[in-house]
Amino acid sequence: SCPNGKDEQGNLYPPICNDPDVSGEIMQVTRSRVGNAVNLGAKDGSHAASLESGVDELAVKQFIRAINPYVQFVTGINTIANQPFPEITCTNGRGGMSGPVVAPIAREWLRIARETASSETAILSCGGVDTQNAAYEIPLRIEMGALLVGGAQEYFRTKNPKQLAERWGLKYASV
């Protein structure tokens, strides 16, 4: 769900999740190599051009349908890719947007993914969850069909991930 390298002109390759046929083929080959005893999953991008654009429903459905026969779980979302950040010079001022601001996009992706994936496919919902909104986001996303809810940005910044997990748990338990 992230760009993988650069082409000859220095442009980032698009994420593989943007091509459902390639995603399905990769998961099919991976499944054949690891066998059925391994829990296999994939992480999807947001399929959103911006906060305002919303999620491209058809793109999510095509991705989920392509990988669903081969996976036990799918995780979404990654960042909203290709957003303007002029201070990032190595990628021509573009980068991925994350944090609580992307929570509505993550919920929209979750709704579409849960409607599309088989009932046996677990959905792990991330994107936009942090201490400030955990009490709201975690139970809502579980109600929407997520098996697990999480986030990465706050965990990346903290010096004490265990303490942060405890805070999230307490927020969730207080609902």
Side-chain angles (χ1 to χ4, degrees):
S1 62
C2 289
N4 294 294
K6 295 181 181 180
D7 64 18
E8 299 79 34
Q9 290 78 36
N11 300 311
L12 292 170
Y13 287 114
I16 292 171
C17 66
N18 288 357
D19 188 327
D21 293 334
V22 170
S23 297
E25 183 178 348
I26 288 170
M27 298 315 294
Q28 180 183 30
V29 168
T30 303
R31 172 56 65 208
S32 70
R33 287 191 181 180
V34 301
N36 290 327
V38 172
N39 278 330
L40 182 63
K43 186 171 185 187
D44 195 12
S46 66
H47 299 283
S50 69
L51 290 173
E52 296 77 26
S53 72
V55 175
D56 181 340
E57 187 165 346
L58 180 59
V60 175
K61 287 180 175 183
Q62 290 174 330
F63 174 80
I64 297 293
R65 288 179 186 136
I67 67 163
N68 198 73
Y70 313 107
V71 300
Q72 280 77 35
F73 69 92
V74 62
T75 304
I77 64 169
N78 205 333
T79 63
I80 300 176
N82 200 30
Q83 300 305 293
F85 290 97
E87 64 275 16
I88 302 175
T89 58
C90 68
T91 57
N92 299 321
R94 310 301 280 185
M97 182 184 293
S98 62
V101 69
V102 305
I105 296 293
R107 288 191 305 271
E108 188 178 357
W109 178 93
L110 171 59
R111 177 190 58 78
I112 298 164
R114 183 68 284 159
E115 290 172 0
T116 307
S118 69
S119 59
E120 296 84 31
T121 303
I123 307 286
L124 312 181
S125 182
C126 59
V129 181
D130 73 0
T131 300
Q132 300 305 309
N133 66 13
Y136 172 77
E137 289 292 333
I138 294 171
L140 176 61
R141 294 189 197 189
I142 289 172
E143 183 179 306
M144 292 175 67
L147 174 64
L148 297 170
V149 179
Q153 190 179 79
E154 193 173 20
Y155 279 92
F156 181 75
R157 292 189 315 257
T158 189
K159 290 182 181 6
N160 191 333
K162 180 181 177 198
Q163 193 174 58
L164 179 60
E166 290 169 350
R167 279 199 314 265
W168 279 35
L170 290 170
K171 291 265 188 183
Y172 175 64
S174 70
V175 176

